[in-house]
Amino acid sequence: LLDFAARGAPAESDSLLRLVMVDRVNAHFWGFTSALFTIASKATHSCRPNCRLRKSDGALEICALGQLDAGERILLSYIAEDTILFASTAARREYLWDAHFFVCQCVRCTSPDTCRIFSCPCGGDVMEIEERWRCNDCGREFSAQDEWLKRRLADEQDAVERWGQVRGTLGKVASKLGSAEDFVGAWIQEASCQKEASEEVYQTALSQLSSLRGTCLSPKHWLPVHATLLASMLALTRHAQRLPSNLSKEEVVEGVQHFVRHGMRVCPEASYTLDGMLDTVQHILAGMANAECAACRVGNDGSNGQGYCTLLAHMD
């Protein structure tokens, strides 16, 4: 702040307070500091974003998550952690108030939350809307005191904790979940350096994911959607390495298709945290190699030169 004043900028308390607030609310983390950007720092927050940010060559790129109409507002999520982004409306609003000083009124916070879906006894989908729960089929409403809802919320909390254990098991590889090619490349590289350790990690993660995929949550809930996709991606790395896999090629494709159906249609938030997976998904379903795809340049030993998608197309 002293340097700010020394440069001739207004140093009154109101100006300094405004500077601090702008930095707190609109700045983006950049290395060990923060930075303001002409466009990105002005983008509106939404818990259902239509764009994401990506660092590239010292710049910050805004990437669309789907088709944007002319004049459509750019929406970014100010929430980076998926367990918060996929949490309840109350939890998201509490985080955004503490971190950015506003009460979120985005479309997800004010309409049925298609990310956290429970299966109603009637077979319909029970979703939250502004901290109230209602089945979209039979119309039944569930209060916070309802024993059925309490059990579902307890099951969800238990599943979230187990999801954290999966990420803990995978270690630094889990940090690559935002990009399929980075995830596969990191896994293969790790496996080539520590074969026995990676085998143990694979088996442990597999067991943890199996329990998540078998949870009583709706298959449309974000946790089973993510667990199914991650299990498929782990199986893909095994096929690419010519190692035994718990899933066949057909089952891998089915798991990816499950994500395409529910991750994109029912739970668009999943495309925000895992949209990098979609490029590889398209290559898998098309069964073709793409010389321009970063994933196709990941070698069997973590080096460049072998088409990853070509390996998939020729699975045994």
Side-chain angles (χ1 to χ4, degrees), residues 188-201:
I188 293 178
Q189 189 171 35
E190 189 81 7
S192 66
C193 298
Q194 305 180 53
K195 186 174 182 180
E196 292 184 5
S198 65
E199 181 67 26
E200 182 179 350
V201 167

Side-chain angles (χ1 to χ4, degrees), residues 45-293:
H45 162 80
S46 175
C47 296
R48 182 167 291 157
N50 57 21
C51 295
R52 70 178 179 93
L53 295 176
R54 180 177 64 187
K55 293 181 181 179
S56 176
D57 297 327
L60 200 61
E61 295 181 349
I62 299 177
C63 306
L65 295 177
Q67 183 66 40
L68 296 180
D69 297 328
E72 185 175 351
R73 177 174 293 183
I74 292 175
L75 302 175
L76 298 173
S77 174
Y78 293 2
I79 305 174
E81 177 58 46
D82 59 3
T83 53
I84 299 177
L85 180 62
F86 298 134
S88 66
T89 300
R92 296 195 309 276
R93 283 177 167 171
E94 180 180 3
Y95 169 84
L96 290 167
W97 175 259
D98 290 341
H100 299 284
F101 309 113
F102 68 88
V103 177
C104 187
Q105 296 292 335
C106 73
V107 63
R108 182 178 166 203
C109 288
T110 56
S111 60
D113 188 353
T114 58
C115 184
R116 301 170 64 228
I117 298 177
F118 299 144
S119 296
C120 181
C122 77
D125 294 333
V126 177
M127 291 176 280
E128 179 191 28
I129 175 170
E130 295 198 271
E131 302 180 47
R132 295 178 291 107
W133 294 84
R134 185 175 185 276
C135 176
N136 65 350
D137 195 348
C138 68
R140 177 181 174 183
E141 295 190 357
F142 300 86
S143 68
Q145 290 71 40
D146 191 287
E147 288 300 321
W148 180 89
L149 180 59
K150 286 182 178 180
R151 289 194 297 271
R152 297 290 83 75
L153 292 174
D155 291 339
E156 181 185 47
Q157 181 58 39
D158 177 64
V160 168
E161 291 175 1
R162 282 185 282 159
W163 176 249
Q165 292 173 357
V166 174
R167 299 188 63 145
T169 297
L170 293 174
K172 66 179 182 180
V173 177
S175 67
K176 308 293 185 181
L177 281 177
S179 167
E181 53 266 32
D182 288 347
F183 176 84
V184 174
W187 179 270
I188 293 178
Q189 189 171 35
E190 189 81 7
S192 66
C193 298
Q194 305 180 53
K195 186 174 182 180
E196 292 184 5
S198 65
E199 181 67 26
E200 182 179 350
V201 167
Y202 170 74
Q203 295 298 338
T204 302
L206 194 64
S207 175
Q208 293 170 331
L209 283 169
S210 296
S211 67
L212 273 175
R213 295 175 70 190
T215 182
C216 59
L217 298 175
S218 166
K220 299 177 183 178
H221 189 283
W222 76 268
L223 263 167
V225 168
H226 280 64
T228 299
L229 180 61
L230 182 52
S232 296
M233 293 309 299
L234 282 173
L236 278 177
T237 65
R238 303 285 287 188
H239 283 293
Q241 295 173 280
R242 296 296 190 265
L243 294 174
S245 172
N246 66 305
L247 299 178
S248 66
K249 177 182 177 180
E250 291 72 24
E251 289 172 324
V252 169
V253 173
E254 287 176 4
V256 171
Q257 290 175 329
H258 178 79
F259 171 77
V260 172
R261 287 194 303 272
H262 298 298
M264 294 300 291
R265 181 177 61 82
V266 181
C267 181
E269 290 79 7
S271 68
Y272 169 68
T273 57
L274 297 175
D275 74 288
M277 296 276 183
L278 301 182
D279 289 337
T280 300
V281 167
Q282 292 169 352
H283 295 315
I284 295 170
L285 298 179
M288 59 185 290
N290 183 346
E292 299 301 319
C293 174

